[in-house]
Amino acid sequence: MFKNKPLNCLGYILPCVLFANNSFVFAEVKKHAQLEEVIVTAQKREQNLQDVPMAVTAMTRTFLEDNGITNVSDLAKMVPSLQLSEKAEPSQVTIQVRGVGTLVPGMSLESNVSVVVDNVPLARNEMASFEFADLERIEVLRGPQGTLFGKNATAGLVHVISRDPAPEFEAFVKANVEQRESWAGGMASSAFGVSGPLTETLGGRLTGYVKRTEGFYIDVLNDNATGPNSDFGGARGKLMWTPSDDLVVKLNMESTRSDGATAPVTFRYANPDKEAESPNIQYGPENRTTKTYGLDSAINRNDGFSLSVDWTVGPFVVTSVTGWRDYLSRTVITLPNLEGDSIDIKELHEHRDITTFTQELRLSSAEPGALDWTIGALWFDSRVDNLIFGDMDNVPAGPLALVGSPIDPLIPILLSNPTTAGNVDIDSYKFSGADTKNLGVFAQGTWHISDLWHLTAGGRYIAEQQDAQFYNRDLMRATGTTGPDIETITGPFDGGIEDEAFSGTLSLQYDGVEDTTLYGTVSTGYRGGAINVEAATADIEDAYANPVKPETALSFELGSKSRLFDNRMQLNIALFRTVFTDFQAYLAVPPDPDDIGGVIRFDVKNAGELATQGVEIEVQGQPSESLFVAGSILYNEAVFDDFRPKCFPGQRVGEAGGEDDDGDGSCDTQDVSGKTLPNAPKVSLSLSARYQVPLDDGDSAFAQLTGRWQDDVQFNATQDPLTIQEAYGVVDMRVGWVGLDEKLELTAYVKNLFDQFSVNSMLNFTVVDDRRDIAHFINADAKRQFGLAVGYSW
């Protein structure tokens, strides 16, 4: 019925299931003072983590649960190489690996850190808006992964693997609540799961979850109401059919819904006019007071399914993975004028729809031999549609192009007020869309030269086509008047690009050192080009004429993976350097002589090169049956090698390399080569220690401490000195009891034990070139909070 191999049994006392000959046998294996083997699929086949010649972090189900990792935002707690930049809308997260991630918005631009769910790649990071309930494991692969996984993984990849149906009936229920100590808001969630055989050859698993979060921002314009609040729920189902030992068919289905609000724009600092006219806003590094019209909302729907077939035919395994996903987002953002020279955004709606279809076919060697190999092809078809319409007042006079909303880079505000005097009110409507089709043909093999030497080589041919559409319509009138509207229409535009590329990998592995594997790997990555339909309206013709070039990456990695002290300690070390060429980022566009005032425009362009290099150290230890320790540290220099962005607001000519490109005496662009990438700390680390001891009655008690620390980070590519988050560390504590034959677990915990404040991001928010207008989005764990959790399984 199943392949004859044990499940991974990482934990304290867990059942280990042996499958053979259409039957199954339970063998209870007590945890001893050794680490268990962890199996991963980082190279599209099952391997021991220690045998994979690349840096991989694998988090098993037990590890995820013990450390309270419930969604993609929690991953950075235990993976220092992974950073997250959260936006105004709860599900919109930018993932960065080794300091590199998608730093630019855009309908047509894809992430360079891919998220894959059960071997199905997602088109955008925001489609990973689901709970990590009832997962088998998560694998974080660092460095380019273009050979086996595709084009949008130049920096790395996160692979989420759900649990298969169980061979006997099992179920669980969980619930937990959290409350902040000194701020309003908290969280309540619950989850359930049930699994087991439906027939002799068919098994099923069903998981459901709901979650309610309450925010801590204070809306002074709406009776000091707190928010944003959000309701989230979803379900995941899996069927597994095994009519014979040689055929396994799995059907995965998932659906999630969320209904809440966006995080409001909150000013950290402001110019004197704002401070004087808005005395009820408590400006400062920990400000959480703000103003909205009470209309802000965020509604998301995320549906998907996948069908996988593994068929063993003699010496071969034929694999087919079919995936479909549909993501819908509806958001409304408002920003009342805080006085001073500022836009008054009454309503800004965004409707985004993403639909993705993928089909992968693979042929692999079935049994280990002198040559283990995989060949295959992946068809990737993604359609993204975006509609933005809004009601905005007091748009300043003169040429203006805000490329990428200061509120949320995924909700661009593209305005242009061509008048030379007087502010205007604008009703805007903009549609943009992109259809990306990609065919990847790949092959990779490992030649076991001897028992000590192993050579892995692979490559991927990529053929891609993208079609993009754009249409914009603005109605303008002078502020405070009822005069006639001025209508401006741009478009429609419709055009496409085509490209071909190759990615590859080559690694050499040596097992001749006792208990240690040494490896060296060279790999390349590719992120497709794009027509930037998010360009300023005045620049859209140029965006079609000069598409964004593909981004490529070249990575070198040297590493060692060791099992020490009689398999009680695992130590993995990786030294790396990755160079990105034609990095897709904001870039200054030289002024058009016909522009009023010679305004510098900004667009998504290829920004030369950047490099990231450093060392990662990961360690796990099982010193005794009761104590388990895991930790990692990253030292990383992630800097621009060749990048020339705009000056930060208020920057003067000559300050920090600022230059006057058009001769009007103001700072236009600057050279930030050698400066750090946004949200890329030089040093970050994590450490978790769990001590669990048996009690006299057969129950057990545990205590756990988890800490993480990171160096200073700059949140803005323009290197604004006011958008720096100082170094900080956070410690979480968990204590609990496990009883009733390990069926019941009660946990009390404290997040942010020492009450360390931090923010997710900081940004310039100004239209008057004032360096003091800085907004921030506060980390949800920025204040100490207490929680209780209970879980029962049978």
Side-chain angles (χ1 to χ4, degrees):
M1 178 178 176
F2 297 97
K3 290 187 177 180
N4 188 14
K5 67 168 61 178
L7 293 179
N8 174 31
C9 300
L10 180 61
Y12 295 93
I13 298 177
L14 292 173
C16 190
V17 185
L18 304 179
F19 303 102
N21 301 324
N22 295 321
S23 64
F24 41 85
V25 179
F26 280 92
E28 189 175 79
V29 179
K30 187 172 182 179
K31 182 76 179 180
H32 54 84
Q34 287 189 339
L35 294 170
E36 298 292 338
E37 180 182 55
V38 177
I39 302 300
V40 298
T41 54
Q43 297 193 109
K44 297 282 188 180
R45 64 180 187 272
E46 291 188 345
Q47 291 177 281
N48 188 317
L49 173 65
Q50 298 302 95
D51 294 333
V52 179
M54 71 174 76
V56 180
T57 298
M59 289 169 281
T60 64
R61 171 168 48 95
T62 301
F63 188 85
L64 293 170
E65 293 174 351
D66 287 350
N67 288 276
I69 299 174
T70 61
N71 51 54
V72 70
S73 298
D74 290 333
L75 287 178
K77 294 179 180 179
M78 292 306 300
V79 187
S81 297
L82 187 148
Q83 298 290 327
L84 299 166
S85 298
E86 299 182 71
K87 312 297 190 307
E89 205 277 295
S91 70
Q92 294 172 343
V93 174
T94 295
I95 303 176
Q96 297 170 235
V97 172
R98 292 174 173 171
V100 179
T102 302
L103 306 179
V104 294
M107 293 303 303
S108 55
L109 296 167
E110 298 181 346
S111 169
N112 49 14
V113 176
S114 179
V115 178
V116 177
V117 179
D118 288 326
N119 286 301
V120 176
L122 305 185
R124 300 291 190 275
N125 287 172
E126 62 197 279
M127 299 176 77
S129 57
F130 46 77
E131 289 290 289
F132 290 167
D134 209 18
L135 296 183
E136 183 63 29
R137 70 182 179 277
I138 294 176
E139 301 173 11
V140 179
L141 286 57
R142 280 100 73 188
Q145 303 297 322
T147 301
L148 290 178
F149 287 94
K151 64 187 179 63
N152 56 342
T154 54
L157 178 140
V158 177
H159 193 182
V160 179
I161 299 113
S162 62
R163 293 184 69 192
D164 287 340
E168 277 194 353
F169 174 80
E170 64 179 34
F172 73 88
V173 291
K174 297 178 181 179
N176 72 300
V177 294
E178 294 178 3
Q179 184 64 49
R180 294 183 181 90
E181 179 183 38
S182 56
W183 285 3
M187 184 274 292
S189 68
S190 61
F192 76 90
V194 60
S195 182
L198 303 176
T199 69
E200 289 186 357
T201 59
L202 181 66
R205 179 176 292 276
L206 177 65
T207 306
Y209 43 86
V210 293
K211 187 178 192 179
R212 167 74 176 178
T213 59
E214 297 178 347
F216 46 81
Y217 291 96
I218 299 173
D219 190 343
V220 299
L221 198 60
N222 285 278
D223 298 323
N224 290 326
T226 57
N229 301 328
S230 178
D231 292 298
F232 181 86
R236 181 185 303 114
K238 177 180 279 192
L239 295 173
M240 185 169 70
W241 181 49
T242 54
S244 70
D245 293 342
D246 298 327
L247 181 62
V248 179
V249 180
K250 299 177 185 178
L251 175 64
N252 296 273
M253 297 161 287
E254 183 170 22
S255 180
T256 65
R257 300 289 187 274
S258 67
D259 187 353
T262 57
V265 177
T266 307
F267 279 90
R268 187 182 185 93
Y269 310 112
N271 67 59
D273 289 339
K274 286 189 177 70
E275 290 190 355
E277 298 296 336
S278 299
N280 48 359
I281 299 294
Q282 300 171 8
Y283 297 100
E286 296 190 20
N287 177 40
R288 57 193 177 101
T289 55
T290 186
K291 291 182 179 180
T292 78
Y293 284 114
L295 302 174
D296 295 31
S297 66
I299 300 173
N300 294 295
R301 186 196 71 202
N302 198 349
D303 300 320
F305 86 88
S306 65
L307 177 67
S308 67
V309 179
D310 287 290
W311 183 26
T312 302
V313 185
F316 309 113
V317 177
V318 180
T319 300
S320 171
V321 182
T322 305
W324 173 88
R325 200 136 194 141
D326 183 66
Y327 174 83
L328 178 148
S329 173
R330 301 288 185 262
T331 59
V332 179
I333 288 180
T334 66
L335 179 62
N337 193 339
L338 300 181
E339 304 306 331
D341 226 347
S342 170
I343 298 174
D344 186 6
I345 303 175
K346 292 183 176 178
E347 290 185 76
L348 183 65
H349 297 250
E350 181 192 39
H351 291 184
R352 172 172 288 205
D353 295 283
I354 307 173
T355 303
T356 302
F357 173 79
T358 61
Q359 175 61 60
E360 183 173 9
L361 292 173
R362 295 198 307 268
L363 184 66
S364 308
S365 54
E367 298 294 337
L371 179 65
D372 298 327
W373 54 270
T374 298
I375 61 174
L378 172 67
W379 172 254
F380 178 95
D381 189 346
S382 176
R383 174 70 198 182
V384 186
D385 291 314
N386 212 54
L387 174 63
I388 300 174
F389 54 96
D391 180 4
M392 290 155 279
D393 291 349
N394 300 316
V395 178
L400 176 67
L402 299 179
V403 184
S405 166
I407 306 171
D408 185 340
L410 293 175
I411 304 179
I413 307 172
L414 303 177
L415 310 174
S416 181
N417 174 8
T419 66
T420 56
N423 291 6
V424 297
D425 302 338
I426 299 179
D427 293 332
S428 66
Y429 172 94
K430 178 193 170 206
F431 169 79
S432 58
D435 189 355
T436 302
K437 294 179 172 62
N438 176 278
L439 175 64
V441 180
F442 58 89
Q444 181 167 306
T446 299
W447 177 28
H448 304 287
I449 304 171
S450 68
D451 291 340
L452 303 180
W453 292 95
H454 314 275
L455 180 67
T456 299
R460 186 186 195 96
Y461 166 77
I462 298 168
E464 182 171 81
Q465 175 182 323
Q466 183 183 97
D467 295 306
Q469 299 80 41
F470 177 92
Y471 175 80
N472 189 82
R473 176 176 177 265
D474 292 329
L475 290 175
M476 293 178 287
R477 72 191 65 84
T479 297
T481 72
T482 58
D485 294 336
I486 302 173
E487 183 179 65
T488 301
I489 296 178
T490 305
F493 289 92
D494 191 351
I497 57 174
E498 296 181 358
D499 192 31
E500 296 182 0
F502 179 84
S503 295
T505 187
L506 179 67
S507 65
L508 184 63
Q509 183 175 331
Y510 178 64
D511 296 334
V513 180
E514 184 177 2
D515 298 325
T516 297
T517 294
L518 304 175
Y519 69 89
T521 299
V522 179
S523 58
T524 63
Y526 170 86
R527 175 159 63 153
I531 297 174
N532 179 31
V533 290
E534 300 304 327
T537 302
D539 295 331
I540 194 64
E541 290 191 41
D542 181 69
Y544 274 87
N546 299 287
V548 179
K549 297 178 183 178
E551 171 185 304
T552 59
L554 174 61
S555 176
F556 302 90
E557 184 172 303
L558 294 174
S560 67
K561 297 188 174 185
S562 304
R563 287 287 183 118
L564 307 171
F565 307 115
D566 192 25
N567 203 27
R568 295 187 181 189
M569 177 180 176
Q570 175 179 296
L571 176 63
N572 294 344
I573 303 173
L575 296 106
F576 62 88
R577 175 175 170 81
T578 305
V579 177
F580 293 81
T581 303
D582 286 326
F583 183 69
Q584 296 172 0
Y586 281 121
L587 190 67
V589 178
D592 186 332
D594 296 330
D595 279 348
I596 300 174
V599 170
I600 301 291
R601 301 189 185 279
F602 299 92
D603 207 345
V604 179
K605 296 291 184 180
N606 297 102
E609 291 187 355
L610 64 84
T612 177
Q613 60 187 7
V615 58
E616 298 162 320
I617 302 174
E618 291 187 319
V619 61
Q620 289 189 8
Q622 190 79 54
S624 68
E625 293 183 7
S626 300
L627 180 61
F628 177 76
V629 180
S632 37
I633 184 170
L634 168 72
Y635 175 81
N636 182 30
E637 295 181 351
V639 297
F640 292 107
D641 282 348
D642 181 14
F643 187 33
R644 191 174 185 82
K646 64 179 179 179
C647 296
F648 57 82
Q651 184 176 359
R652 297 177 295 275
V653 176
E655 179 188 5
E659 298 182 7
D660 178 6
D661 295 331
D662 55 17
D664 66 352
S666 62
C667 186
D668 297 317
T669 64
Q670 58 175 319
D671 185 356
V672 298
S673 300
K675 303 294 185 179
T676 184
L677 272 65
N679 200 16
K682 181 171 286 188
V683 180
S684 53
L685 57 89
S686 67
L687 180 64
S688 176
R690 181 182 176 100
Y691 188 72
Q692 183 161 341
V693 294
L695 303 176
D696 293 338
D697 55 3
D699 301 337
S700 62
F702 66 86
Q704 178 171 336
L705 285 176
T706 301
R708 55 196 181 275
W709 182 89
Q710 71 171 36
D711 204 354
D712 297 352
V713 296
Q714 167 62 263
F715 283 114
N716 200 319
T718 63
Q719 311 298 312
D720 190 321
L722 293 181
T723 56
I724 296 176
Q725 166 73 65
E726 295 182 355
Y728 70 95
V730 175
V731 175
D732 300 334
M733 181 177 70
R734 304 169 73 89
V735 296
W737 170 82
V738 180
L740 301 182
D741 293 328
E742 302 216 338
K743 293 181 179 179
L744 179 64
E745 180 172 324
L746 303 175
T747 305
Y749 59 91
V750 182
K751 289 184 176 180
N752 196 357
L753 182 63
F754 299 110
D755 206 26
Q756 294 294 299
F757 179 81
S758 62
V759 298
N760 289 325
S761 61
M762 284 184 260
L763 45 87
N764 309 109
F765 193 97
T766 182
V767 294
V768 293
D769 204 30
D770 193 311
R771 68 191 308 159
R772 292 163 292 185
D773 287 345
I774 304 295
H776 62 199
F777 294 105
I778 300 173
N779 194 317
D781 296 337
K783 280 292 180 180
R784 184 187 297 117
Q785 50 192 312
F786 301 92
L788 292 172
V790 58
Y792 185 83
S793 60
W794 61 92

